[in-house]
């Protein structure tokens, strides 16, 4: 097995994929799976059910993370619990009202075809809870986030947690600054960018492409590839679905120490 980055697959005797994993060193990670563990019956059951192993090299750690997430959603293996959700029909959206206030709100993603959600979530209940959390953390107005239906002030204003944007007491400029801080906590620093990382061999590079906050997919180019326009990078990748999980993967990866080059557009 290779001591390189990639995604690996465990199969049972029927040839079904029962687990998908990723690592920067496939050999070492698979060794860890087979380490002795007499305390867990589930662990023994898992190891005893493995009949075959295959892998796909990715070169890039980020691509391994993204491809693993995609494969888990596609195959839904028995022993993968996390990231199995493949449909994200709800999301958080942004609009500016007639008074200049930026308003976050939740809704069904397919109800807003003209705009993409800032973040895609599993259902409206989760989207509503996510928005309540951001309102609390960033001291936003429940009414302006469509979480408190009233023609007057919101409940938080009555208990001195809202600064009065709901009734025009707080200027839009001050309120909007906190909205932007809330958005920055779950979106990318830049809207359109390409992450250029290691390829599967020395003469290859990997590309991860994000456009207007939406993950488009990843691909590989050789050392002769030359691009100045964003569309050149888009044409070089394979398209994959955007969702909450890949957004989190990319955000967390960019916040860690890495050697990849980030090329920003716009």
């Amino acid at each position: 097995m290779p001591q390189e980055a990639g995604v690996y697959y465990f199969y049972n005797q029927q040839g079904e994929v029962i687990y998908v994993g990723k690592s920067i060193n496939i050999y070492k990670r698979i060794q860890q799976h087979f380490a002795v563990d007499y305390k867990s019956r589930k662990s023994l059951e898992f190891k005893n059910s493995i009949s075959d192993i295959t892998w796909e090299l990715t070169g890039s750690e980020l691509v391994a993370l993204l491809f693993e997430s995609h494969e888990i959603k596609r195959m839904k293996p028995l022993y993968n619990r996390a990231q199995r959700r493949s449909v994200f029909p709800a999301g958080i959206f942004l609009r500016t009202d007639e008074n200049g206030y930026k308003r976050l709100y939740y809704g069904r993603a397919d109800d807003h075809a003209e705009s993409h959600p800032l973040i895609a979530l599993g259902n409206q209940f989760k989207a509503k809870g996510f928005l309540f959390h951001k309102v609390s953390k960033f001291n936003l107005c429940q009414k302006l986030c469509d979480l408190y239906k009233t023609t007057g002030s919101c409940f938080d204003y009555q208990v001195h947690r809202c600064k009065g944007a709901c009734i025009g007491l707080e200027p839009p400029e001050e309120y909007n600054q906190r909205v932007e801080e809330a958005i920055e906590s779950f979106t990318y620093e830049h809207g359109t960018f390409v992450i250029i990382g290691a390829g599967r061999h020395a003469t290859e590079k990997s590309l991860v492409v994000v456009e207007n906050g939406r993950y488009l997919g990843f691909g590989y180019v050789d050392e002769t590839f030359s691009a100045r326009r964003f569309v050149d990078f888009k044409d070089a990748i394979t398209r994959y679905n955007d969702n909450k999980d890949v957004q989190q993967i990319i955000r967390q990866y960019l916040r860690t120490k890495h050697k990849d080059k980030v090329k920003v557009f716009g």
Side-chain angles (χ1 to χ4, degrees):
M1 289 178 286
Q3 298 193 46
E4 300 174 53
V7 171
Y8 56 90
Y9 306 81
F10 289 163
Y11 300 79
N12 61 15
Q13 286 186 329
Q14 289 73 43
E16 302 166 329
V17 174
I18 58 173
Y19 184 82
V20 177
K22 55 83 185 58
S23 179
I24 58 173
N25 187 317
I26 291 174
Y27 173 76
K28 287 185 178 180
R29 184 68 187 98
I30 291 177
Q31 272 194 325
Q32 293 172 355
H33 278 293
F34 288 93
V36 176
D37 181 5
Y38 294 112
K39 297 179 182 179
S40 170
R41 177 184 295 181
K42 196 170 186 179
S43 175
L44 288 172
E45 177 187 293
F46 169 56
K47 285 183 282 190
N48 289 338
S49 64
I50 299 169
S51 292
D52 196 12
I53 303 170
T54 64
W55 54 84
E56 291 283 344
L57 298 182
T58 62
S60 160
E61 179 183 4
L62 175 58
V63 172
L65 290 162
L66 294 170
F67 191 50
E68 178 205 34
S69 179
H70 168 78
E71 291 290 74
I72 290 172
K73 287 173 171 51
R74 182 175 71 88
M75 297 179 171
K76 295 181 171 55
L78 177 63
Y79 288 97
N80 287 104
R81 296 301 179 208
Q83 298 195 57
R84 289 180 64 167
R85 175 178 289 278
S86 56
V87 178
F88 294 81
I92 305 298
F93 297 83
L94 175 69
R95 67 182 177 88
T96 302
D97 67 17
E98 62 278 5
N99 296 315
Y101 290 97
K102 291 186 175 182
R103 302 180 66 149
L104 294 172
Y105 62 100
Y106 71 95
R108 290 190 59 83
D110 54 5
D111 288 342
H112 303 274
E114 73 283 356
S115 62
H116 300 295
L118 297 172
I119 184 170
L121 297 158
N123 54 53
Q124 297 230 49
F125 178 78
K126 289 184 177 180
K128 185 177 182 179
F130 180 92
L131 191 52
F132 263 119
H133 172 71
K134 296 303 177 183
V135 166
S136 175
K137 183 174 181 179
F138 293 94
N139 198 22
L140 303 181
C141 175
Q142 289 182 345
K143 178 183 174 181
L144 294 190
C145 293
D146 290 347
L147 296 173
Y148 190 83
K149 306 297 183 182
T150 178
T151 56
S153 61
C154 70
F155 175 77
D156 277 357
Y157 177 74
Q158 299 169 36
V159 295
H160 309 294
R161 286 199 297 261
C162 171
K163 297 185 178 182
C166 47
I167 52 176
L169 291 182
E170 182 181 20
E173 297 77 18
E174 293 182 15
Y175 180 78
N176 291 347
Q177 185 174 347
R178 295 200 304 283
V179 173
E180 289 298 329
E181 290 173 359
I183 293 172
E184 287 175 7
S185 72
F186 61 86
T187 56
Y188 306 116
E189 180 181 356
H190 306 288
T192 299
F193 59 94
V194 179
I195 304 170
I196 306 170
R200 296 161 293 187
H201 48 78
T203 60
E204 186 178 68
K205 295 292 184 182
S206 62
L207 306 175
V208 173
V209 177
V210 175
E211 182 178 30
N212 297 325
R214 293 189 71 210
Y215 165 67
L216 299 186
F218 68 84
Y220 296 94
V221 294
D222 62 28
E223 57 186 359
T224 64
F225 177 77
S226 177
R228 293 183 178 179
R229 302 176 305 161
F230 180 70
V231 67
D232 296 328
F233 291 98
K234 287 173 63 174
D235 290 343
I237 63 169
T238 300
R239 297 299 182 103
Y240 291 92
N241 292 333
D242 184 35
N243 56 62
K244 178 180 69 69
D245 292 330
V246 298
Q247 291 167 18
Q248 183 173 343
I249 287 168
I250 295 171
R251 286 199 312 273
Q252 290 183 344
Y253 183 81
L254 290 175
R255 289 169 183 168
T256 62
K257 189 176 181 179
H258 61 84
K259 297 180 180 180
D260 296 356
K261 178 183 177 181
V262 180
K263 187 173 179 64
V264 178
F265 292 84

